[in-house]
Amino acid sequence: MLSLPVPAAKLVDAPPPPPIPDGEVERDGTPKAKAPLPAPSRGQQLYENHCMGCHESVDRIRSRPQVKTLSALRETVARWATNAQLPWGKEEIEEVTRYLGTRFYGFERQSGLH
């Protein structure tokens, strides 16, 4: 009996290795669950709901902040709250001032703002 050559098995590319996680991993190599992001502060929420639309529009973006002190920032927030006819009291003004001072101006390092 005549024997025919057996065709060679078709070579198949191996699947790519699993991606290497960026952060910490468990013992089995799976990525550790990331902690949930903290809830936004009240000042952040007020700013995002009432101020951000204008302040982050293309024509309002500045190359550097214009306010130089925490008290000047507080006065600016109060003035714009009045101009925008927002029913903000001292508490809301202070919350937005705290958020902006911490987030954009670095005032928490200078004045103990918490």
Side-chain angles (χ1 to χ4, degrees):
M1 174 173 200
L2 187 59
S3 133
L4 296 173
V6 177
K10 183 178 176 184
L11 296 177
V12 178
D13 290 335
I20 299 172
D22 290 338
E24 295 182 36
V25 294
E26 299 288 348
R27 282 188 156 178
D28 66 358
T30 60
K32 282 190 176 183
K34 293 184 180 182
L37 294 175
S41 68
R42 183 164 184 246
Q44 180 180 353
Q45 291 173 343
L46 289 168
Y47 173 79
E48 289 176 356
N49 288 326
H50 300 286
C51 310
M52 194 165 84
C54 290
H55 284 275
E56 295 200 0
S57 66
V58 173
D59 60 329
R60 292 277 304 168
I61 294 176
R62 296 181 181 151
S63 61
R64 67 184 197 283
Q66 301 295 310
V67 175
K68 302 292 184 204
T69 66
L70 183 60
S71 61
L73 178 59
R74 187 176 291 108
E75 291 170 10
T76 301
V77 170
R79 183 176 64 249
W80 279 104
T82 300
N83 290 346
Q85 298 179 351
L86 298 172
W88 289 358
K90 288 181 181 181
E91 186 178 319
E92 288 83 7
I93 291 168
E94 193 59 35
E95 294 279 348
V96 173
T97 300
R98 183 178 302 122
Y99 168 68
L100 295 174
T102 302
R103 173 72 172 87
F104 297 105
Y105 295 90
F107 290 147
E108 77 283 358
R109 293 182 295 276
Q110 300 169 7
S111 62
L113 183 64
H114 297 283

